[in-house]
Amino acid sequence: QVQLVESGGGLVQAGGSLRLSCAASGRTFSSYPLGWFRQAPGKEREFVASITSGGTTYYTDSVKGRFTISRDNAKNTMYLQMNSLKPEDAAVYYCAAKRTLGGTGAYPYSYDYWGQGTQVTVSS
């Protein structure tokens, strides 16, 4: 079993930055592919970024060049550095972990564990 806890959300002006963290329990953290998803009001949960156990990263097109996903296995923590934030980035951000390897990690149904979410608000 893996428990995930996000932190780092908040209110930021457009063009600003935030760093989200996802702290995980469990001794096998390093073996799990991980992902960040977001959900805005009235919209479906969408893929933001993912990172494999080996460190390969994937991003949705709208955040490429602005967001960076990373992981520190020694700290059982994953990060999402978000720069040049836009109002359309506002959402509840969720981190997730999955037991199965392979793929880009872009599909929510492939994940087994989810955090409770952290709110990101971007003012224009």
Side-chain angles (χ1 to χ4, degrees), residues 71-92:
R71 64 192 298 165
D72 185 337
N73 291 331
K75 295 182 178 180
N76 276 14
T77 303
M78 173 177 64
Y79 304 98
L80 185 68
Q81 177 67 44
M82 306 187 294
N83 299 327
S84 303
L85 282 160
K86 305 176 181 180
E88 53 264 41
D89 294 317
V92 177

Side-chain angles (χ1 to χ4, degrees), residues 56-115:
T56 301
T57 58
Y58 300 91
Y59 298 92
T60 193
D61 285 346
S62 63
V63 308
K64 285 180 181 177
R66 300 188 298 122
F67 291 12
T68 302
I69 188 172
S70 62
R71 64 192 298 165
D72 185 337
N73 291 331
K75 295 182 178 180
N76 276 14
T77 303
M78 173 177 64
Y79 304 98
L80 185 68
Q81 177 67 44
M82 306 187 294
N83 299 327
S84 303
L85 282 160
K86 305 176 181 180
E88 53 264 41
D89 294 317
V92 177
Y93 282 70
Y94 298 90
C95 65
K98 64 189 186 84
R99 295 191 297 262
T100 55
L101 304 181
T104 62
Y107 302 100
Y109 60 76
S110 66
Y111 287 82
D112 303 288
Y113 308 106
W114 291 86

Side-chain angles (χ1 to χ4, degrees), residues 12-63:
V12 64
Q13 288 189 331
S17 298
L18 282 175
R19 187 175 82 155
L20 305 183
S21 298
C22 175
S25 64
R27 290 174 291 179
T28 57
F29 173 83
S30 62
S31 67
Y32 288 108
L34 306 171
W36 286 100
F37 291 78
R38 65 187 180 188
Q39 189 167 17
K43 295 187 177 181
E44 293 186 353
R45 191 166 298 190
E46 67 170 353
F47 170 71
V48 176
S50 65
I51 185 166
T52 68
S53 56
T56 301
T57 58
Y58 300 91
Y59 298 92
T60 193
D61 285 346
S62 63
V63 308

